[in-house]
Every structure is written in C-alpha cells, then in structure tokens.
C-alpha cells in the first residue's frame, strides 16, 4: 500500500475544496486534494447557466467558468490532486484510506483534514409518495447531469416538483432542449427559489407554476404515465376533492439538498440536526484538526459564499498547524449558539472565546418568510447583546452576520447565546 | 375595455433587481408616450426600460464536441442577445459541432443571430485519451 504524507488533505475537489486548497498553498503549506470524479470542479461543471461569481469576481459567470478559474489556479500553483479517487475511511488519528484504479488502496497521513464533500439531493424516499417505481423519476440535479454533460434527455413531457432554483433552471433548460415542461409544483404558497429565476425560467416560457400543491400519486408501472397533485392547507395536509391529474412521462424532484456526511460520521465527528457537522467559529469540527466548509457544512445559496467560507477553513487549517490558536477550551469559555424564534439553524454551533481575535461570522436561515424584522442575539438571561433590522427575510436566503464579541457586554459566566428573528418592535422610520 | 387598458397600462413588469420585486407599470398615453410607474429605485427604472424596449438574455447551453472527455461542451454568448432571436440562435447551435481540445473563452460561433454576439466556450475541454 502506498503512503502519502502532507500538511493538509482536502476531501472533495469542488468549489469548496478548490478554494481551500489554493488558500492553504498560498499560506505555504503542503496540500493534497482527493476527488472522486474524473475531473475537478464538482457540481459546478453541470450548472451551465450564468449567475455565479457576482460577489467573488464582480461579474456573472457560468458554473463551469467559475470552476475553471479555480482549476487553472490549482494547476498554476502545481497543487497535487488525485482524481477518480474515493475516500473510504478516516480514522480517529486522521489517517485517510482511499482507493483508485491506478494505485489501489492508499494511505494519507496529514496534520489536518478539510472536509469539502458538498451535498446531495433529497430523493423520492424523502417525500413518501405512493405509487409503483416506474422509470422516469429523476432528481433535478441528476437530470441536469444527463442533459448538460452526458447528452441525454430524461423524457418529453415533464412535471417538476419543487420551485427551488435547480427546479426552475431545469424547467428552462429542458424547454430549450425541446421538452414540454407541463408544470412546476410547489407545496409552499410562495416560490422557494429566486424571483429572477421565476421570471427568466418560468414566466419567459409560459411554464405554469402551481403553488400550494403537493404530489400525491405517481401513475404508471413501467414508465411514468402521469402524476396526481393535490391542494394543501396551511398545515400541508391534502384538501379532499382538490386532486388534479397531469399527464407526463417524466417527474423531476427538486425537493432539497442535504450535506453529504457519511465520511464525517465514519471519522467520528458530531453531526448537528440539520445534517452538517457541529463546528466552532474556526470551522473546526468536534475532531481536533478536522475542518469543514462549503455545502458539507451547510447548504449555501451562492457559490461565492462557499468560496469565502472555504478560504476561511484553509486559513484556519494553517493557523492550526502553526499552533497560533489554542486547543479546545473547557467550561465557560465555550459558548453554545442556538436557534431561537423563526430560526431554522445557525452556524457555527459553538464559539471558542479564547480564540476570538475580533470578528466572527454567523450564518443562519429563517423558517418562515417575514417582513420588517429584527435579528437579535440574546444571552441566557434574555439580555439582548446585538440587534439588527432587516426589511425582509426568506428561507431561501442564508443570512450572514459579522459580529464582534469584544464589543458586546458578555457575561463571563455566559455559556449560551440565542439567535432569533422577531417582528420589529418600533415602527420603521421612512 | 379592461381596467388596465382604461388606465393606459399596456404591461406590468416585475422587477428582478432585488428580492423586493416591485411591480412596474408600463403606461402609454394618448400621444403614444411610454412612461413607467411603480419602481422604487433607479436600477428598477433602468431594468423596466430595458425589459420593455429591448429585452435581452444571455444564452447558456451546450454544443456537441468531438474527441473530448465529454460528448457536450457548455457554452455561452459573450453578451446578451435579443429575446426574439434566442430560438434562431439555438437552431444554429444545434447544427454545429466542435472539436477538442478547447480552452475556456474560445470563440466557437462568431456573430450568432447578431454580429456583435459570439458563442464562447464555458470551460476547457481536453482531448479524450485513446487507449
């Protein structure tokens, strides 16, 4: 068995892994990327539409263009990577075992590991729809890969479940390729993706958007013959008598993404209820020297934010190797951050006070859309330490706060903070 | 006559500049003059004017590629193309085949449906190794 030694091993060569690798290399440390696909770039390579890079490059790029810029930089810097290589185990002492066709089983010893495996799509199993298991049911990203990379169409008459951005972008993509997209069906009363996609992907092509409806049956035994959709009430319960049949041969599911943490689990890191590993403000997991960034940690709306987060993970990995920051601190010096009113999740899960140099970044998503709200960070005694007003919040937009705990009147005995989103108390001055 | 036509509104445009999504009304007065109402910022007015007089879109699709590691190459137009010309452009792209190796930014079709708009490669496409 061949053995490699390096400072930092990065698992995953997509948007997150590439940005982290470049940052580590620029910081003077050795880095190795392990990628299971046949090329670098990850999921960006199949996201051929534009709209990437507005924050990072100040212009609109397509997914492959965004990835290519990073791939070119990795090549210029001579950063080593292994393609077609899948990690099968991470041990507690940070040994990585991986396999590929050329070398067979390999072992990698590194001082730190950065997890950058991305996320995967929720499938039919996650939404419990009755019916047989006919051909013609795809997740939206799977269909996207077939259409944009492999060169196959999933079908002719298509119904898309879920109005997230991938679902709407696939509606336009399939229309361009000559398919008939019969409807995009959304269980919520509102579109879950960006307004821009609703207009440029659906309205431009007259594709019906059916909100407040849910999929209740898939028809067909060998091939999808149609779907039944039903109107739902406020609790998402089916309203009897509201069933509608739509004839189609293909059903695309765009029903959410989940961080892909099988390896994280094998390694022994603790996973939070939202699916990503528990991390502190350094993006370090509960395993010392193992960091996580990108969609494996939390599903981002913009790749630009993945890049920024991953650079941060890269820098922290270097700091860890240089031992510039102290190891985990015990007791009251670690603050737990929890989700309060109208908050779906919040990252990081913990803040290590002893390591704070200044600003820390907090990300969260709301459960329900709201207007004229106030974001509060409170301690356990209900004392508000931070507040910020915002004109609107929507679940599909991840919110980022940069806060400086040094400026807060933090009780030294505090061991928990709560983030909440509540309606503004005083009227907005206009 | 509908209520909209009565008030001189010929179209409504939902602004996509920011998530507020203002509804901009496009009005035509008796003299034929076009005016915009309902936008709440300068960028919103610019967007509505562009969208009413000259709606344009960037094309992002794929093109067949020979000898590449994939059968398709993602491509884009280097500038926006008039909406009405999109379907013509797609037809030209569907008839075209390119050959690897290709570098990101290479011009693959010069002047598609508009002499100032070119189709360029969205990524590198290396040659497939023959075993």
């Amino acid at each position: 068995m061949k053995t490699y030694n390096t400072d930092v091993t990065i698992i995953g060569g997509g948007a997150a892994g590439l940005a982290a690798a470049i940052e580590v290399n620029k910081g003077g440390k050795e880095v190795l990327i392990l990628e299971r696909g046949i090329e670098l770039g990850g999921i960006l390579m199949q996201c051929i539409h534009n709209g990437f890079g507005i924050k990072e490059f100040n212009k609109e790029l397509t997914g492959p263009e965004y990835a290519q810029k990073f791939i070119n930089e990795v090549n210029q810097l001579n950063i080593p990577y292994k393609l077609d290589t899948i990690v099968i185990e991470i041990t507690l002492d940070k040994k990585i075992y991986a396999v590929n066709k050329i070398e067979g089983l390999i072992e990698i010893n590194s001082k730190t590991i950065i997890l950058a495996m991305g996320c995967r799509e929720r499938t039919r199993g996650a939404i419990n729809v009755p019916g047989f298991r006919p051909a013609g049911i795809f997740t939206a990203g799977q269909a996207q890969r077939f259409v944009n990379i492999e060169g196959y169409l999933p079908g002719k008459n298509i119904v898309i479940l879920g109005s997230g951005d991938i679902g709407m972008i696939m509606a336009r993509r399939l229309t361009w390729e000559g398919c008939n997209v019969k409807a995009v069906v959304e269980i919520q009363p509102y579109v879950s993706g960006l307004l821009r996609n609703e207009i440029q992907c659906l309205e431009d092509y007259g594709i019906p958007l059916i909100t407040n409806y849910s999929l209740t049956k898939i028809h067909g035994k060998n091939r999808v013959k149609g779907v039944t959709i039903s109107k739902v009430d406020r609790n998402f319960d089916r309203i009897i008598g509201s069933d509608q049949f739509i004839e189609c041969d293909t059903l695309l599911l765009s029903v959410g993404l989940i961080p892909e943490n099988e390896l994280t689990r094998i390694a022994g890191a603790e996973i939070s209820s939202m699916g990503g590993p528990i991390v502190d403000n350094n993006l370090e997991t509960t395993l010392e020297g193992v960091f996580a960034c990108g969609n494996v940690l939390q599903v981002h709306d913009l790749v630009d934010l993945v890049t920024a987060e991953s650079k941060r993970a890269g820098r922290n990995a270097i700091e860890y190797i240089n031992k510039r920051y102290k190891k985990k601190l015990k007791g009251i010096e670690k603050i737990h951050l929890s989700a309060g009113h109208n908050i779906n999740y919040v990252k990081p899960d913990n803040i290590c006070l002893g390591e704070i140099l200044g600003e820390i970044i907090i990300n969260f998503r709301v459960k329900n859309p709201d207007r004229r709200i106030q974001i509060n960070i409170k301690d356990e005694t209900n004392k508000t330490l931070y507040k910020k007003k915002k004109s609107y919040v929507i679940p599909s937009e991840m919110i980022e706060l940069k806060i400086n705990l040094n400026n807060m009147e933090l009780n030294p005995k505090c061991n928990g903070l709560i983030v909440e989103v509540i309606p503004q108390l005083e009227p907005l001055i206009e | 006559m509908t209520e909209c036509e009565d008030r001189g509104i010929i179209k409504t445009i939902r602004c996509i500049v920011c998530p507020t999504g203002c509804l901009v009304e496009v009005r035509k007065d008796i003299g034929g003059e076009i005016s915009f109402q309902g936008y709440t910022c300068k960028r919103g007015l610019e967007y509505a004017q562009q969208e009413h007089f000259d709606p344009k879109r960037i094309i992002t699709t794929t093109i067949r590629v020979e000898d590449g590691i994939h059968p398709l190459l993602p491509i884009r137009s280097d500038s926006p193309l008039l909406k009405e010309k999109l379907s013509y452009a797609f037809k030209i792209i569907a008839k075209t085949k390119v050959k690897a190796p290709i570098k990101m930014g290479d011009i693959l079709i010069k002047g598609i449906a508009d002499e100032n708009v070119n189709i360029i490669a969205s990524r590198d496409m290396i040659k497939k190794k023959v075993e």
Side-chain angles (χ1 to χ4, degrees), chain A residues 39 62 65 68 203-204, chain B residues 14 57 76 122-124:
Chain A
E39 59 186 355
T62 65
E65 282 176 322
Q68 190 76 58
E203 278 181 17
D204 268 12
Chain B
R14 229 178 341 151
R57 299 286 185 267
R76 62 174 291 172
S122 240
R123 56 167 284 183
D124 293 359

Side-chain angles (χ1 to χ4, degrees), chain A residues 64-79:
Chain A
E65 282 176 322
Y66 189 94
Q68 190 76 58
K69 279 178 174 274
F70 287 88
I71 296 169
N72 289 349
E73 196 169 352
V74 161
N75 288 328
Q76 274 157 19
L77 296 168
N78 281 320
I79 295 174

Side-chain angles (χ1 to χ4, degrees), chain A residues 314-366:
Chain A
R315 284 194 296 274
N316 292 343
I318 296 169
E319 295 284 302
Y320 173 83
I321 295 170
N322 292 343
K323 295 196 168 52
R324 260 193 235 141
Y325 76 70
K326 284 172 264 169
K327 297 280 167 63
K328 288 269 153 61
L329 296 162
K330 281 176 192 163
I332 56 156
E333 283 160 324
K334 180 168 138 187
I335 297 178
H336 179 66
L337 204 57
S338 55
H341 185 261
N342 199 14
I343 303 279
N344 198 351
Y345 78 85
V346 57
K347 285 283 170 198
D349 303 86
N350 296 308
I351 299 169
C352 293
L353 278 189
E355 297 159 14
I356 291 168
L357 303 166
E359 238 176 25
I360 68 162
I361 291 173
I362 293 175
N363 292 120
F364 65 87
R365 276 180 202 274
V366 294

Side-chain angles (χ1 to χ4, degrees), chain A residues 304-316:
Chain A
D304 306 66
L305 300 178
V306 169
T307 300
E309 186 177 273
S310 304
K311 284 182 179 170
R312 209 147 55 84
R315 284 194 296 274
N316 292 343

Side-chain angles (χ1 to χ4, degrees), chain A residues 96-356:
Chain A
I96 294 171
Y97 293 97
V99 284
N100 64 40
K101 279 185 204 162
I102 300 157
E103 298 169 298
L105 184 66
I106 56 172
E107 181 189 281
I108 300 129
N109 298 300
S110 42
K111 292 173 187 158
T112 77
I113 297 172
I114 298 179
L115 305 170
M117 292 90 76
C119 61
R120 69 156 67 109
E121 296 177 279
R122 292 174 77 209
T123 58
R124 180 182 176 182
I127 53 166
N128 295 325
V129 185
F132 290 104
R133 300 181 63 186
I137 306 171
F138 301 86
T139 57
Q142 187 184 17
Q144 189 180 45
R145 184 172 173 91
F146 281 135
V147 177
N148 292 345
I149 293 184
E150 317 274 351
Y152 297 100
L153 286 180
K156 288 191 178 110
N157 294 301
I158 293 156
V159 169
I160 299 173
L161 182 69
S163 65
D165 291 313
I166 315 172
M168 293 196 284
I169 282 160
M170 278 314 288
R172 175 178 65 181
R173 183 79 193 108
L174 289 164
T175 306
W176 281 350
E177 290 297 335
C179 300
N180 176 16
V181 179
K182 297 201 136 178
V184 172
V185 181
E186 170 61 54
I187 193 168
Q188 301 280 356
Y190 50 85
V191 171
S192 59
L194 297 170
L195 175 69
R196 159 202 165 109
N197 284 329
E198 184 189 345
I199 288 168
Q200 297 196 343
C201 298
L202 304 184
E203 278 181 17
D204 268 12
Y205 301 94
I207 299 167
L209 171 71
I210 307 175
T211 52
N212 271 325
Y213 269 79
S214 163
L215 180 69
T216 41
K217 193 174 177 186
I218 299 170
H219 301 264
K221 199 166 179 184
N222 297 317
R223 177 82 202 188
V224 174
K225 287 205 163 78
V227 293
T228 297
I229 59 167
S230 313
K231 197 168 178 139
V232 294
D233 62 20
R234 206 178 283 179
N235 301 316
F236 302 130
D237 288 328
R238 172 174 162 234
I239 298 171
I240 308 290
S242 65
D243 293 3
Q244 262 187 53
F245 176 76
I246 307 175
E247 203 184 320
C248 63
D249 54 40
T250 302
L251 172 68
L252 297 195
L253 303 173
S254 174
V255 290
L257 302 165
I258 30 175
E260 190 164 333
N261 276 298
E262 282 69 21
L263 280 174
T264 320
R265 258 184 219 107
I266 291 171
E270 282 175 55
I271 308 283
S272 72
S273 59
M274 287 307 292
I278 288 176
V279 291
D280 62 21
N281 48 312
N282 300 310
L283 301 171
E284 191 178 10
T285 66
T286 53
L287 300 173
E288 198 194 297
V290 178
F291 297 81
C293 58
N295 286 351
V296 80
L297 175 63
Q298 55 180 340
V299 177
H300 296 65
D301 333 318
L302 297 174
V303 68
D304 306 66
L305 300 178
V306 169
T307 300
E309 186 177 273
S310 304
K311 284 182 179 170
R312 209 147 55 84
R315 284 194 296 274
N316 292 343
I318 296 169
E319 295 284 302
Y320 173 83
I321 295 170
N322 292 343
K323 295 196 168 52
R324 260 193 235 141
Y325 76 70
K326 284 172 264 169
K327 297 280 167 63
K328 288 269 153 61
L329 296 162
K330 281 176 192 163
I332 56 156
E333 283 160 324
K334 180 168 138 187
I335 297 178
H336 179 66
L337 204 57
S338 55
H341 185 261
N342 199 14
I343 303 279
N344 198 351
Y345 78 85
V346 57
K347 285 283 170 198
D349 303 86
N350 296 308
I351 299 169
C352 293
L353 278 189
E355 297 159 14
I356 291 168

